Amino acid sequence: MQERDVDIAIIGAGTAGLSAWQTARHYHENVVLIEGGEPGTTCARVGCMPSKLLIAAAEAAHHAHEAAGFGIEAGPVEIDGRAVMARVRHQRDAFVKGVLDSMQRIDPDKLLSGHACFESPHTLRVGDSQRLHARSIVIATGSRPHMPDAFAAAGERLIDSDAVFEWETLPGSVAVFGAGVVGLELGQALSRLGVRVRLFGKSGSLGPFQEAAMRDYAERIFNEAFYLDPAARVDAIEGDDSQVAVTFRKRNSAERLTESFDYLLAATGRRPNLDRLALENAGLALDDKGVPLYNRFTMQCRGLDDHGEGSHVFIAGDASQELPLLHEANQQGRIAGHNAGRYPERRAGHRSTPLSIAFTDPQMATVGMSREEAVSWFGCDSVAEGEASFEDQGRAMVMRQNRGLMRLYAEHGSGQFLGAELFGPRVEHIAQLLAWALEQRMGVERMLEMPFYHPVLEEGLRSALRDLNRALLQGPAMTERCFEYGPGG
Ligand SMILES: Cc1cc2nc3c(=O)[nH]c(=O)nc-3n(C[C@H](O)[C@H](O)[C@H](O)COP(=O)(O)OP(=O)(O)OC[C@H]3O[C@@H](n4cnc5c(N)ncnc54)[C@H](O)[C@@H]3O)c2cc1C
Ligand SMILES: NC(=O)c1ccc[n+]([C@@H]2O[C@H](COP(=O)([O-])OP(=O)(O)OC[C@H]3O[C@@H](n4cnc5c(N)ncnc54)[C@H](O)[C@@H]3O)[C@@H](O)[C@H]2O)c1
């Protein structure tokens, strides 16, 4: 066994681990990064990027179908599944190569290959042949798809989202389980690419939405294009080598149906890669799911007997299970890297406004606090709500994309903007604007003073802000849609 002393050991060379390494190396010479699986990051290999590539192809097909609505006949739309998947894999490989190229600047002696686990609080075993003694440690081990045991009945036809991006061609049919962001993004994209899709959710949850009004609206719109039941009743799953049969109750009815699919795609959530780290040897306080307790501003884990000082172990990215998103992994990695470098000193890092975007069409986004969070924080009487629809929004009508709803929240009295749930065309941009407004701690009146071009989708946001201002009793009631600025605000 090769023994080695290091200043900092970072476990996992994904987005969080690379960001931690990039920061920590400014404090110490001897910082090692350990990767036990495939390098290249989840984002580039099987996450953000390949999913957006598949969605981009689906959007192209959708626009071709929709062209007739503008008086343009694009002819029969043919989807070449092999070509679609070849482009997805080719571009995906280019993104992965970009990550691998950037890792070239890491001294090979500092980039270790092998699975790491704790032998004691300061000692890691890496693979079969190395033992590291580290002054401080960052856990940045990411997450992996999780499947309920009952899905094993699907046999060979059971897949997770990682497998989708390896397809040589598009299948004929897929039963997608899970109406979270992965299920919705992939399910809608596959449907638009001509795959027969049925999407089965659980307990009524739908993507990132917390508000029932947003879920109900989105469920109705998605169902116009593909079958989606967010509270599905599935009686049986049976698979063989070639097909999987799903027996379920038809949405909003008691009718029992059995349908066969080429695949069952489990998009039923992700679990942190903590179970094979031997955390019981790390001297850390764990929650009831085995995730280390940590301070979200320092990313420092709590030790079992550290007398409130915090341990020498830090955590970042999907491993923390806080907000499994790329920008969070990056930010958390940076904070963890700084504090692992400074340890035993540590400083609070800036945690930015919660922001989540699902790249469905219409897109779904949440920013800042949900209504429920705002009410539990400020009290029921203190939260004002504003709403606007995209159905009669000018620019959305021009583009034939006038579907969607926005709900915004603010604090009574102060007029402080608190958060929003958005469903509509390209709301990724409106969500970004709102996240910036929250970072600036803007009030609704001040937001309304900001410039709005015409005709843009953001004029719909202005309508929602006006409605919110009215509810705050800080401005006149919204009359007809802002005609003083031009039609269709
Ligand atoms: C289909 C899909 C689409 C997504 N789309 C988006 C999106 O559009 N926008 C967005 O913000 N987020 C998106 N995400 C989420 C985003 O990809 C993740 O939040 C992010 O990649 C997590 O980064 P990470 O560094 O925590 O983990 P990872 O990148 O997974 O890195 C963890 C690394 O640790 C290694 N490792 C694990 N255990 C050990 C061990 N014991 N020893 C050594 N190494 C170990 C792993 O091999 C891995 O390389 C998506 C996710 C999926 C699955
Ligand atoms: N655009 C993006 O930013 C983006 C895209 C994809 C993923 N992500 C990240 O990845 C994380 C994981 O996404 P995800 O969608 O896999 O997980 P998720 O936890 O968001 O959703 C999983 C869904 O599966 C449902 N489910 C669980 N068991 C089920 C069952 N037996 N049958 C049917 N449904 C079941 C749950 O109710 C839930 O709605 C997300 O939280 C998100 O942070 C982000």
Side-chain angles (χ1 to χ4, degrees):
M1 183 76 59
Q2 189 195 335
E3 306 268 341
R4 187 168 163 185
D5 287 327
V6 299
D7 291 314
I8 303 170
I10 298 165
I11 313 174
T15 302
L18 286 165
S19 152
W21 177 82
Q22 175 82 1
T23 321
R25 73 197 175 105
H26 295 298
Y27 294 84
H28 296 284
E29 249 311 283
N30 207 355
V31 180
V32 297
L33 184 58
I34 309 159
E35 175 52 56
E38 255 186 85
T41 75
T42 287
C43 168
R45 287 190 310 104
V46 289
C48 329
M49 302 316 281
S51 59
K52 266 72 265 174
L53 286 164
L54 192 74
I55 290 168
E59 281 175 352
H62 180 70
H63 290 148
H65 282 295
E66 288 291 296
F70 295 92
I72 296 161
E73 287 304 333
V77 178
E78 283 186 28
I79 292 159
D80 178 346
R82 284 195 174 274
V84 167
M85 292 314 299
R87 177 177 187 268
V88 168
R89 284 183 280 107
H90 179 75
Q91 289 292 329
R92 183 269 319 262
D93 292 347
F95 289 127
V96 172
K97 182 173 181 301
V99 175
L100 298 180
D101 287 350
S102 76
M103 288 174 70
Q104 294 284 341
R105 66 205 160 92
I106 305 175
D107 176 352
D109 184 48
K110 306 275 166 53
L111 186 56
L112 310 186
S113 179
H115 177 86
C117 63
F118 282 86
E119 286 191 340
S120 74
H122 284 274
T123 309
L124 295 174
R125 188 185 172 117
V126 181
D128 293 329
S129 55
Q130 287 203 62
R131 182 173 286 131
L132 299 183
H133 305 280
R135 212 176 52 82
S136 52
I137 295 170
V138 177
I139 299 172
T141 47
S143 63
R144 61 177 186 274
H146 168 77
M147 304 185 181
D149 294 342
F151 289 3
E156 294 292 299
R157 309 315 288 178
L158 175 62
I159 55 163
D160 59 27
S161 57
D162 293 6
V164 167
F165 309 117
E166 292 306 323
W167 280 340
E168 291 285 329
T169 189
L170 291 165
S173 54
V174 178
V176 180
F177 277 72
V181 186
V182 170
L184 288 170
E185 285 189 351
L186 296 183
Q188 185 185 46
L190 293 173
S191 167
R192 287 185 163 186
L193 289 166
V195 177
R196 177 169 57 85
V197 168
R198 298 273 182 275
L199 203 157
F200 304 102
K202 194 172 139 184
S203 330
S205 69
L206 196 65
F209 288 155
Q210 303 293 318
E211 281 241 43
M214 298 298 295
R215 287 198 299 263
D216 292 348
Y217 186 95
E219 179 188 339
R220 181 167 61 76
I221 298 298
F222 286 137
N223 261 294
E224 289 172 7
F226 64 99
Y227 181 94
L228 157 65
D229 187 351
R233 287 158 301 160
V234 175
D235 293 338
I237 294 170
E238 277 176 283
D240 58 30
D241 289 353
S242 60
Q243 291 272 292
V244 56
V246 180
T247 302
F248 60 100
R249 304 296 166 129
K250 199 171 162 191
R251 177 174 165 262
N252 298 333
S253 111
E255 191 185 345
R256 201 164 187 254
L257 298 174
T258 299
E259 282 189 29
S260 289
F261 301 88
D262 293 331
Y263 291 103
L264 188 160
L265 167 59
T268 41
R270 296 177 67 84
R271 292 286 178 274
N273 293 321
L274 297 171
D275 44 343
R276 296 200 303 127
L277 275 179
L279 284 178
E280 65 279 9
N281 301 327
L284 300 177
L286 309 178
D287 71 11
D288 56 358
K289 294 197 178 82
V291 179
L293 299 173
Y294 65 97
N295 177 311
R296 67 184 294 275
F297 296 100
T298 60
M299 304 313 294
Q300 185 182 28
C301 297
R302 197 188 294 172
L304 280 174
D305 42 22
D306 60 19
H307 310 293
E309 285 300 302
S311 82
H312 60 289
V313 180
F314 299 81
I315 191 164
D318 280 17
S320 78
Q321 279 293 279
E322 192 186 319
L323 289 162
L325 296 168
L326 191 279
H327 63 277
E328 289 287 340
N330 192 27
Q331 187 172 54
Q332 293 176 22
R334 215 165 36 235
I335 297 172
H338 274 302
N339 282 328
R342 290 187 186 113
Y343 181 78
E345 192 200 325
R346 74 266 194 223
R347 282 191 209 151
H350 173 71
R351 296 301 307 272
S352 47
T353 296
L355 169 63
S356 164
I357 298 166
F359 295 88
T360 49
D361 179 21
Q363 292 180 340
M364 313 165 91
T366 56
V367 191
M369 288 185 180
S370 67
R371 185 184 173 283
E372 201 181 338
E373 285 165 339
V375 164
S376 72
W377 190 263
F378 294 99
C380 196
D381 295 343
S382 301
V383 179
E385 295 165 41
E387 186 179 291
S389 163
F390 275 106
E391 293 191 358
D392 53 356
Q393 204 277 327
R395 184 66 187 282
M397 290 165 80
V398 165
M399 300 188 305
R400 294 185 79 248
Q401 292 179 24
N402 50 322
R403 301 278 175 87
L405 186 64
M406 286 181 276
R407 288 183 61 78
L408 273 53
Y409 323 111
E411 188 196 12
H412 272 299
S414 70
Q416 175 78 48
F417 173 60
L418 298 176
E421 299 203 4
L422 314 168
F423 184 61
R426 303 180 199 174
V427 291
E428 61 184 271
H429 305 297
I430 293 181
Q432 282 283 160
L433 275 186
L434 291 178
W436 288 25
L438 274 169
E439 287 285 322
Q440 304 289 319
R441 299 187 186 283
M442 288 173 84
V444 175
E445 267 190 310
R446 181 77 187 114
M447 289 162 80
L448 277 165
E449 285 164 7
M450 293 292 121
F452 290 86
Y453 203 75
H454 174 73
V456 293
L457 293 167
E458 285 74 6
E459 287 176 299
L461 170 63
R462 183 176 52 198
S463 297
L465 285 168
R466 286 182 149 213
D467 194 44
L468 186 56
N469 214 31
R470 174 200 53 76
L472 286 165
L473 305 178
Q474 289 196 340
M478 187 174 68
T479 49
E480 285 172 51
R481 294 192 84 114
C482 319
F483 263 89
E484 69 268 40
Y485 301 100

